[in-house]
Amino acid sequence: MNTAGNSPGSSALNIEDILGSKISKVSVIVMILCFCILLMDGYDYGIISNASPLIMKEWNIEAAMFGPVFSVATFGWMIGAVVFGAISDRIGRKGTLLIGAAIFTVLSLCLYFSRTLSQLVIIRLITGFGVGGAVPVAMTMTSEYAPQNSKAKFVSIMFSGFMVGSTLGSYIAAGMMPAYGWRSIFLLGFIIPIPVIVCLAIFLPESARWLSLNLNTPQRRETLIRIVKRISPDLQIDDTTQFVAIKTEKKKEKYSPKELFAGKLAWVSPMLWLYYIISSLAVFFIGNWMPQVLVLKGLTAAHASSLMGTSGLFGILGTALIGVWLDKMGFRWGFIWPLLAILFTALTGGATGGILLVWMCINSFFMNGEHTSITSIVPNMYPVRIRAKGSGISNALAKIGSIIGPVIGGILISTGISMSKLFYFVSIPFIFCAVFSYVLGVQYDRHFSKLYSSGEQTPSEAPHS
């Protein structure tokens, strides 16, 4: 444990060292509660997609007009992430997460009472705003409380809550919509999160890092001491003990945007961003419109939701196994996943009956695995000192694909294009993903892995060949 004297007779405890020292009940509780936030987000994403065929039929809305309902939530997410980021610096991470969760929970009830497309668009925009406030904080809190050598594992488990929630949403929609109508699943989306929010208010600790930087009241100091004692009960703390939040393993350096384009990154960064955008376009195209496509194939909305739930289980499996594949085979072999996604996306369009479900499940496995692989590739292409910036920018730009994918899908479906041609079209982005995955994987295996493992902090000094 690192300590440093700030004044005679006093000691300073480094919060970073305390939080990263070991797995504790606190770190597990934080991960589980934040998992529930992502599960709620996934459920919201799943039910709007599965309810869309019934909403469009009841309100007599064309697919081209309904596309913005999917896209506007992502736009709201982007606004919420910025606004709530500033709010969290003032009121704390826990309060911000609770406000964000409360917003998208209440908006689910508002959607239950919606009657027009314009109301639906506004509700989805504000829902996305709330999600943008809660989800980034949940990710930050999970990473903060996770042990140093298990951060990636904790965040991965936490983030899997989205896929679990989306899959559960599909199954719940399949069970409830035939008997109670599409509005019932949004009413449930309001009721179920309430006890979760209560548990968050009671059991989720405030960010220890934020508290250590904002110890301007005795109450905050007492709260921080309670958290630290729960993690390290044997730690000696008295009235003279001070707390600091310093990452002692590396010196804080000034960041320059030019570093994102140093050396080979001059073309690698744009390729990474384009890869993320194109992959998001295809994934959100399929994820949002698949229930309606299945209805156009002659299935009932409930049957379509059931198939979505089953294929979602394979998506969860693909998301979990892509990391194992990349660790064993190397990043260059990640291109196999989008390559197979091309095949099974194309096959899904003309399939019917039992073979349709088979192709959907296999495609979900490779499509979701392929998309998840980007989150593994992106941070590894940047040196440690700019890794967070590089990942953050890539993730933000990916929202472009998340926004335009559903809009393009709605326009194409409204043209009356055949299902085979539609899925041939949506398989095209995966061709680019396969190429980008291979090129970037080769660059990492041959160049960046050796560069950063040798202690190089920037690729600018490396050969540009």
Side-chain angles (χ1 to χ4, degrees):
M1 189 70 61
N2 291 341
T3 63
N6 280 10
S7 62
S10 70
S11 63
L13 296 177
N14 191 344
I15 290 298
E16 299 290 344
D17 291 343
I18 296 171
L19 297 178
S21 60
K22 61 181 180 180
I23 295 178
S24 64
K25 289 183 179 179
V26 177
S27 62
V28 173
I29 288 173
V30 169
M31 181 187 68
I32 292 173
L33 291 174
C34 290
F35 172 92
C36 291
I37 290 292
L38 268 294
L39 188 146
M40 291 158 59
D41 179 26
Y43 177 83
D44 174 79
Y45 171 83
I47 59 175
I48 188 64
S49 299
N50 285 285
S52 61
L54 294 180
I55 297 175
M56 292 166 62
K57 181 179 180 181
E58 181 179 316
W59 294 357
N60 193 28
I61 299 173
E62 292 290 330
M65 297 294 292
F66 201 86
V69 173
F70 298 131
S71 299
V72 75
T74 302
F75 186 70
W77 192 102
M78 297 170 69
I79 299 173
V82 174
V83 173
F84 279 100
I87 293 175
S88 68
D89 289 337
R90 294 181 63 85
I91 70 171
R93 312 299 187 233
K94 178 178 179 178
T96 302
L97 191 151
L98 288 171
I99 293 172
I103 288 174
F104 70 75
T105 297
V106 171
L107 266 294
S108 185
L109 180 64
C110 292
L111 206 151
Y112 173 84
F113 291 107
S114 64
R115 289 293 183 272
T116 66
L117 180 61
S118 58
Q119 290 176 356
L120 192 58
V121 170
I122 294 172
I123 290 170
R124 294 303 298 167
L125 175 65
I126 303 174
T127 298
F129 180 78
V131 172
V135 171
V137 175
M139 296 171 66
T140 300
M141 292 276 284
T142 302
S143 178
E144 175 182 324
Y145 277 98
Q148 188 61 41
N149 60 353
S150 301
K151 287 187 181 295
K153 184 187 299 181
F154 269 59
V155 173
S156 296
I157 294 173
M158 179 276 301
F159 205 79
S160 68
F162 181 88
M163 283 296 298
V164 173
S166 177
T167 301
L168 285 175
S170 295
Y171 280 126
I172 290 172
M176 292 186 65
M177 289 195 305
Y180 306 105
W182 63 266
R183 296 181 187 275
S184 63
I185 57 178
F186 292 100
L187 182 61
L188 189 66
F190 166 74
I191 295 173
I192 296 299
I194 292 177
V196 175
I197 294 175
V198 172
C199 288
L200 287 167
I202 296 173
F203 299 111
L204 183 70
E206 178 56 271
S207 163
R209 185 180 297 151
W210 182 84
L211 285 170
S212 68
L213 296 172
N214 295 273
L215 288 176
N216 48 9
T217 67
Q219 291 80 7
R220 288 179 180 175
R221 178 179 173 84
E222 292 173 4
T223 300
L224 179 57
I225 291 174
R226 284 198 299 270
I227 294 172
V228 170
K229 281 290 189 180
R230 289 174 65 189
I231 298 172
S232 301
D234 298 330
L235 205 60
Q236 298 299 314
I237 300 175
D238 57 34
D239 293 339
T240 65
T241 302
Q242 298 185 31
F243 297 93
V244 295
I246 303 172
K247 293 186 177 181
T248 56
E249 71 275 9
K250 59 183 180 181
K251 182 181 178 181
K252 182 72 174 179
E253 300 178 53
K254 188 177 180 180
Y255 157 75
S256 171
K258 293 181 180 179
E259 295 180 71
L260 295 172
F261 304 96
K264 284 181 175 288
L265 290 179
W267 63 269
V268 165
S269 285
M271 182 175 285
L272 280 171
W273 300 339
L274 191 59
Y275 181 10
Y276 218 158
I277 291 170
I278 291 176
S279 178
S280 296
L281 186 153
V283 169
F284 280 81
F285 183 128
I286 295 173
N288 282 296
W289 283 112
M290 196 65 194
Q292 174 65 9
V293 167
L294 293 174
V295 168
L296 292 176
K297 279 177 170 285
L299 279 66
T300 65
H303 191 189
S305 295
S306 180
L307 295 189
M308 289 295 293
T310 303
S311 65
L313 293 175
F314 284 81
I316 295 173
L317 186 62
T319 299
L321 293 183
I322 183 62
V324 178
W325 172 270
L326 294 176
D327 286 342
K328 185 176 180 62
M329 305 298 295
F331 282 138
R332 74 176 67 187
W333 291 103
F335 84 96
I336 296 294
W337 294 63
L339 197 65
L340 290 171
I342 298 169
L343 172 63
F344 291 106
T345 298
L347 288 174
T348 300
T352 57
I355 196 65
L356 171 62
L357 177 59
V358 173
W359 295 155
M360 282 180 60
C361 290
I362 298 176
N363 184 54
S364 179
F365 177 87
F366 288 109
M367 179 183 71
N368 286 284
E370 173 273 327
H371 194 60
T372 302
S373 72
I374 307 176
T375 62
S376 298
I377 294 173
V378 168
N380 284 286
M381 301 301 279
Y382 294 103
V384 174
R385 66 186 305 274
I386 62 169
R387 188 162 292 170
K389 292 291 184 182
S391 298
I393 291 173
S394 298
N395 187 268
L397 290 173
K399 302 302 179 186
I400 296 173
S402 307
I403 292 172
I404 64 177
V407 173
I408 293 174
I411 294 172
L412 286 174
I413 291 172
S414 292
T415 64
I417 188 174
S418 69
M419 291 296 105
S420 295
K421 290 181 178 179
L422 178 67
F423 278 84
Y424 289 153
F425 179 87
V426 78
S427 67
I428 292 175
F430 292 119
I431 298 175
F432 292 96
C433 290
V435 173
F436 292 155
S437 179
Y438 181 76
V439 172
L440 293 169
V442 168
Q443 283 300 309
Y444 176 79
D445 291 341
R446 291 182 178 176
H447 177 75
F448 289 98
S449 63
K450 297 175 183 178
L451 183 66
Y452 300 146
S453 64
S454 66
E456 193 71 56
Q457 289 302 301
T458 172
S460 60
E461 300 177 5
H464 291 223
S465 59

